[in-house]
Amino acid sequence: MKPKYVVGNWKMNHNLASIKEFFMGLDRMKMELKCEAWIAPQFVHIPILKDLAFSLGKAKIGAQNSAIAESGAHTGEVSPATLADMGVEFVILGHSERRSIYKESNEVINQKVTLALNNSLKVIFCVGETLEERENNKTFEVVRQQLHQGLKGLMWNSDLMVAYEPVWAIGTGKTATPDQAEEVHAFIRKELSLQFGEQGKVIPLLYGGSVKPDNFGELLSKPSIDGGLVGGASLKIADYGALCSIASSYY
Ligand code: PGA
């Protein structure tokens, strides 16, 4: 049985007090977790979460970005080697906010993915089309290009995961329907097996974009969806707990 994932992308949210409250709340829920419950907070909060997240059992704590180099003159950046050294287990790369606000190209993302994998970090590599691209029937073309360029030169690696996040569904409350999500996930699965052969078929695929407790179950019931990359709903204890219970029920 493949595990189901609930990966919280906290983005630039939460402070010390609200983080403590979050984990106290989770403790009180006394959940029996049978899913992969992961969280990516802001960089400086990572050590705090690593201390507090024991309540989530095998929770993994990750980063939302990493640099294109391992060390040197890169003021303001955080090296994947440093992340690994600090016990960080995964990194989210290629998120649409990195692509749009910070102008990260597929080539830059490819460098980051390659380096993070070389440093033994698990990588959640994000792809997804904008509303305009979807309306112009470009979804598959855009996703194919992001996959080809973002994963260029890579051999199969068991640490690689892919998240499909349609940009029009992120933070908007508009989730892709389970059928829309499954259609693109199945396409991604096919593309990954063209590049990686049989092993491409077992790469975990996450859906992201307004995932909430009331739509997660139906999304997870689709054959090509292994979990969720969750922004807004992962910030709230009740919602994050509910998502973990839903994912655990698939065990
Ligand atoms: P959302 O964000 O769940 O708030 O739509 C998802 C993401 O950006 O990863």
Side-chain angles (χ1 to χ4, degrees):
M1 185 78 191
K2 284 204 300 180
K4 299 288 185 193
Y5 296 80
V6 180
V7 182
N9 173 11
W10 278 5
K11 308 193 181 184
M12 210 165 65
N13 295 297
H14 271 314
N15 57 33
L16 213 41
S18 63
I19 289 172
K20 286 186 182 150
E21 203 180 304
F22 183 92
F23 283 101
M24 268 158 32
L26 276 182
D27 269 348
R28 278 195 295 272
M29 284 183 181
K30 302 213 182 310
M31 281 184 299
E32 214 202 316
L33 274 183
K34 291 189 178 135
C35 67
E36 292 285 336
W38 300 6
I39 297 180
Q42 299 182 65
F43 282 125
V44 291
H45 289 151
I46 288 174
I48 299 162
L49 260 81
K50 283 193 74 69
D51 279 350
L52 291 172
F54 61 86
S55 53
L56 281 179
K58 55 185 178 181
K60 288 188 177 34
I61 304 304
Q64 300 168 18
N65 186 23
S66 62
I68 53 165
E70 282 186 1
S71 64
H74 288 265
T75 302
E77 290 293 294
V78 176
S79 152
T82 305
L83 291 175
D85 192 35
M86 294 294 290
V88 172
E89 288 165 285
F90 73 95
V91 59
I92 300 168
L93 293 171
H95 190 280
S96 70
E97 286 149 22
R98 300 295 318 171
R99 292 176 187 267
S100 65
I101 308 172
Y102 297 98
K103 309 291 173 230
E104 286 188 10
S105 63
N106 286 328
E107 290 70 26
V108 163
I109 295 161
N110 176 246
Q111 276 177 276
K112 292 187 173 195
V113 170
T114 306
L115 207 60
L117 288 172
N118 286 347
N119 280 279
S120 304
L121 293 169
K122 294 187 182 300
V123 169
I124 300 177
F125 165 57
C126 306
V127 297
E129 81 289 358
T130 62
L131 183 59
E132 197 188 344
E133 287 161 347
R134 176 161 280 264
E135 285 174 349
N136 287 309
N137 293 322
K138 293 227 163 84
T139 299
F140 296 105
E141 186 184 323
V142 168
V143 170
R144 181 188 283 121
Q145 196 179 41
Q146 289 172 336
L147 287 169
H148 283 196
Q149 295 183 358
L151 300 177
K152 197 169 164 193
L154 287 173
M155 306 291 281
W156 179 76
N157 187 312
S158 59
D159 286 331
L160 178 66
M161 299 164 69
V162 176
Y164 168 58
E165 297 205 303
V167 181
W168 48 271
I170 295 178
T172 58
K174 273 191 236 159
T175 330
T177 64
D179 285 341
Q180 277 175 324
E182 172 61 22
E183 189 185 23
V184 183
H185 277 238
F187 172 78
I188 291 172
R189 179 81 69 225
K190 203 175 76 211
E191 289 294 314
L192 291 174
S193 40
L194 287 177
Q195 179 165 356
F196 301 113
E198 277 303 299
Q199 287 157 319
K201 294 186 185 154
V202 298
I203 292 175
L205 299 186
L206 311 182
Y207 167 79
S210 299
V211 170
K212 302 211 164 45
D214 62 5
N215 57 30
F216 194 41
E218 221 191 318
L219 286 160
L220 278 188
S221 70
K222 294 292 179 187
S224 309
I225 301 181
D226 301 307
L229 179 54
V230 191
S234 74
L235 294 168
K236 298 175 217 134
I237 310 156
D239 283 354
Y240 187 77
L243 293 168
C244 289
S245 307
I246 293 166
S248 295
S249 72
Y250 279 82
Y251 180 72

